[in-house]
Amino acid sequence: MSNENNKTLIEVQDLKVHFYLKASGFFNRKRQAVKAVDGVTFDVRENETFGLVGESGCGKSTTGRGILQLIRPTAGSVRFENIELTKLGKEAIRCMRPKMQMIFQDSYDSLNPRHPIGRIISDPLVIHGIARRGSAELKERVSELMNMVCLNPGYVNRFPHEFSGGQRQRIGVARALALNPKFIVCDESISALDVSIQAQIVNLLQELQEQFGLSYLFIAHDLNMVRFISNRVAVMYIGKIMEMADRQTLFKSPLHPYTKSLISAAPTPNPKFERNRQRIILSGEVPSATNPPKGCVFNTRCPIAFERCSQEIPEYREVAPQHFVACHAV
Amino acid sequence: MSLPSYGKLADNRPRWLQQLATFIRLVKRDKGGAFGMLIVILLIFCAVFANHITPYDPSLQNLREGKTPPAWFPKGSGKVTPSWAHPLGTDPLGRDLLTRIIYGSRVSLTVGVFGVLLACSLGLIIGMIGGYLGGRVDDIIVNVINIMLGIPYLLLVVVIATVLGRSLINVILIFGITDAPVFVRVTRSVVLRARECGYVEAAVSIGAQNWRILFEQILPNLVGPIITLGTLEMSNLIFAEAGLGFLGLSVPPSVPSWGNMLNAAREYILSYPWMAMWPGFSIMITAVGMNLMGDWLRDIMDPRQRRARR
């Protein structure tokens, strides 16, 4: 699909998204911050699928939203084709939107139940003044898009609730494709679907990638699916990237203890391997992002943690070409 | 990739026809709602065609026939014998009560409709601004609304009415403004909920402007609640207008309105009770009809409740 020589499309550097909690008391005005994303660095190349995995609440989705400026980052930089997005004003961002789109997790929630799907798919084109509502070229483009995602164009006047989950997700894909974007964030786009439908959507995404040279930021918690679709993968834990490498390296020879435990937790379909699978079981709960542990955020649950881990934040460094790890033990 | 295409569904009628069929089915299913709607339609008919369906002029005096009892009352209970020339009787000045009741519906309906329209537009604008922008603007709006709701309603209305004087426009203005807080609250709550919906974020991500999100994505959510609330509030306003009329603060006494008629009938209530009966009865039946219709609208506007109600 892609190779390492591809040009960088998106460069994320030390991205931070913090949410400030409303003060609980009337007089106690000390603000607490939830550090949802706390210094994340990676890049997405052209025509590449970049997988982002991690537990619930580790900041995967927030990272995706921070890149698209749906949530304005607290700090750090996001460069899209060498344009610094975090510095752009509202209107400038709006003009950039056609190039970067998003496919949402909950297709039921992300499609307005009161609008027929023809309107949902054509909205991006109307908003950016590419075609007028009701014009013949708009209708043509909508049926083209519907064909692209294997929906019967005769269904334009149906409403979202008249479709199945997989069909609705494909409506979301069609909407994201309407403006010919270069980059799409797939935010758990297949997590809520049946396995057979997941395969259908993933295949569709890959076909579209080949056809249009798209880049994906593929956010998921299903490791097998990420392994299948991604070129490179990053593993997140409480707002930080623990390890990033290309697919083969990360799944075959993970270095970070958290990555190892994640991979060991994913079931394999082959019973022979499954029987011999060594589980690394983590104890305890994920610490809160309001009050992350000192030192390495993973030290409270890490099976190999030593004294230094609870004091010093491990540097996120390149241990092998294109293999980044943040761990003292590596 | 090829996917199975599903056959067309059986119902291929145009959407508006399907909606009409659904509507008729819903009317049939709920007798109370249908009854309420019938009353409201009748009321609108009376108000619009008052000058065509009434035999007399509402202010035509005929002292010789004054205080005529309703037609079916026994003879000899008053100076004047009841007759079908005045089916509901006459007032002390000999004005036909049926005619005045029918004309009175005009005032009630005008105040109801325009009062609600004014309150609703104010409420929609303020509520949408507060709910969508949030922050300090919202805080101010919420607090002002709470203060307004904290003031005793009738007292406030009486004060404003006394200051502004008696006219139809003033009555509409008073009710439109004092009733707006209810609409602000409902609008704000709906907007607050809709703002967090996934499709609003999706609209942002495709690059929709604020006004587009507000009008195309959020506003449609308001149609149901506002229509329902409007109907219920209309009956409240008609009630309140009659109350104001009874206190002598609504439209000028020369205008036939239910409240004014009640006010005028007060001193005769023991000897000629029908003079107070008819306007009172009209107010009651209007309120019942509008409430029934409002309840029914609330249920059918919410698809989840649609099934529960039989």
Side-chain angles (χ1 to χ4, degrees), chain B residues 53-133:
Chain B
I53 54 176
T54 51
Y56 304 95
D57 185 285
S59 42
L60 180 75
Q61 299 183 8
N62 186 351
L63 287 173
R64 242 183 301 167
E65 287 179 9
K67 299 169 189 164
T68 310
W72 60 88
F73 270 41
K75 280 176 190 173
S77 59
K79 275 183 284 177
V80 190
T81 44
S83 80
W84 283 104
H86 298 291
L88 300 185
T90 61
D91 69 358
L93 297 175
R95 296 178 291 196
D96 185 46
L97 280 177
L98 178 64
T99 305
R100 286 177 73 77
I101 288 287
I102 290 174
Y103 269 90
S105 67
R106 280 189 167 176
V107 174
S108 294
L109 215 64
T110 313
V111 170
V113 169
F114 288 99
V116 163
L117 275 183
L118 181 63
C120 169
S121 3
L122 282 174
L124 271 176
I125 295 167
I126 298 171
M128 289 211 318
I129 291 172
Y132 192 69
L133 294 182

Side-chain angles (χ1 to χ4, degrees), chain B residues 97 261-262 265-266 268-269 272-281:
Chain B
L97 280 177
M261 289 167 75
L262 270 179
R266 202 187 49 214
Y268 305 101
I269 198 147
Y272 313 109
W274 62 85
M275 290 178 205
M277 231 158 71
W278 303 131
F281 189 64

Side-chain angles (χ1 to χ4, degrees), chain B residues 111 153-162 165-168 170-172 174-175 178 237-251 257-260 262-263 283:
Chain B
V111 170
Y153 186 67
L154 201 63
L155 196 70
L156 180 70
V157 168
V158 167
V159 170
I160 303 175
T162 319
R166 306 177 70 167
S167 84
L168 191 61
N170 284 351
V171 173
I172 291 171
I174 290 165
F175 285 132
T178 53
L237 288 198
I238 289 174
F239 232 91
E241 190 277 330
L244 211 57
F246 182 72
L247 295 174
L249 292 166
S250 182
V251 288
S257 91
W258 297 342
N260 284 354
L262 270 179
N263 184 22
I283 294 164

Side-chain angles (χ1 to χ4, degrees), chain A residues 65 102-106 110 169 175 187 189, chain B residues 201-202 205:
Chain A
R65 285 175 166 76
M102 186 150 178
I103 301 168
F104 294 87
Q105 171 173 18
D106 186 348
S110 66
Q169 199 54 275
R175 170 172 63 186
D187 180 16
S189 305
Chain B
E201 193 185 24
S205 83

Side-chain angles (χ1 to χ4, degrees), chain B residues 7-19:
Chain B
K8 278 190 175 177
L9 295 176
D11 201 345
N12 278 323
R13 291 175 296 176
R15 194 160 279 277
W16 67 267
L17 204 69
Q18 287 180 36
Q19 281 172 344

